[in-house]
Amino acid sequence: MSQTQPAPLFINIGTINFGPAEPEPLYLGDLLQLRPAAKPKTEQREIRELGGGEKISPQQALAEVAKLGDGWRLETPHELHALVAYDHKNHHGALSRDETLKPDYYWSDQEQPGVPGARVVVGFGDGLVGYGDDDGRAFARAVRVSGQ
């Protein structure tokens, strides 16, 4: 007996903006196709704090990541912002359930368009996403993801 995949379900939705990860928001009248859930991918994330736990420049963060070798990078703005928990403060006072994060800004891997030398930062003191200039200081973490 062969198994058949359930048919996708189409629904009409109102205006939804999923943030900067999506190229455009969805508008009323757009169709959203919901497919049956795929098996979750198993991934392992290894995190390293950079700068000895102190605030560093974006140039220093990038240099330290390069020294770590293949597969290491700064976290993306989306990865960092996913760690923000507006309803919880960790033992450092950061808005996160990740107990290693401090209540300040963290450098991301993304350059700020139109601002030479600036990078996107995510704040765990306020949960905001902004940008820091190349002469600024922020915390930084490197990540290596395997099993994607």
Side-chain angles (χ1 to χ4, degrees), residues 25-117:
L26 298 172
Y27 294 101
L28 187 60
D30 288 345
L31 290 178
L32 176 66
Q33 183 177 6
L34 301 177
R35 296 183 187 274
K39 288 186 178 179
K41 294 180 182 179
T42 303
E43 73 176 31
Q44 294 181 332
R45 297 173 52 85
E46 188 177 350
I47 304 286
R48 296 252 177 107
E49 197 171 81
L50 303 176
E54 300 296 321
K55 292 182 184 180
I56 57 177
S57 70
Q59 297 87 352
Q60 183 179 347
L62 293 170
E64 287 190 33
V65 168
K67 286 180 186 176
L68 290 173
D70 289 340
W72 288 95
R73 60 176 171 77
L74 291 175
E75 291 172 289
T76 68
H78 299 294
E79 288 170 330
L80 286 167
H81 197 262
L83 298 173
V84 173
Y86 294 102
D87 63 342
H88 178 83
K89 285 189 178 182
N90 69 16
H91 74 276
H92 292 293
L95 295 172
S96 182
R97 286 184 169 74
D98 183 326
E99 293 296 327
T100 65
L101 293 168
K102 297 173 181 135
D104 212 317
Y105 287 94
Y106 281 74
W107 295 116
S108 77
D109 72 339
Q110 184 177 320
E111 293 180 0
Q112 177 65 26
V115 185

Side-chain angles (χ1 to χ4, degrees), residues 113-128:
V115 185
R119 299 194 83 73
V120 174
V121 292
V122 176
F124 290 92
D126 53 16
L128 297 179

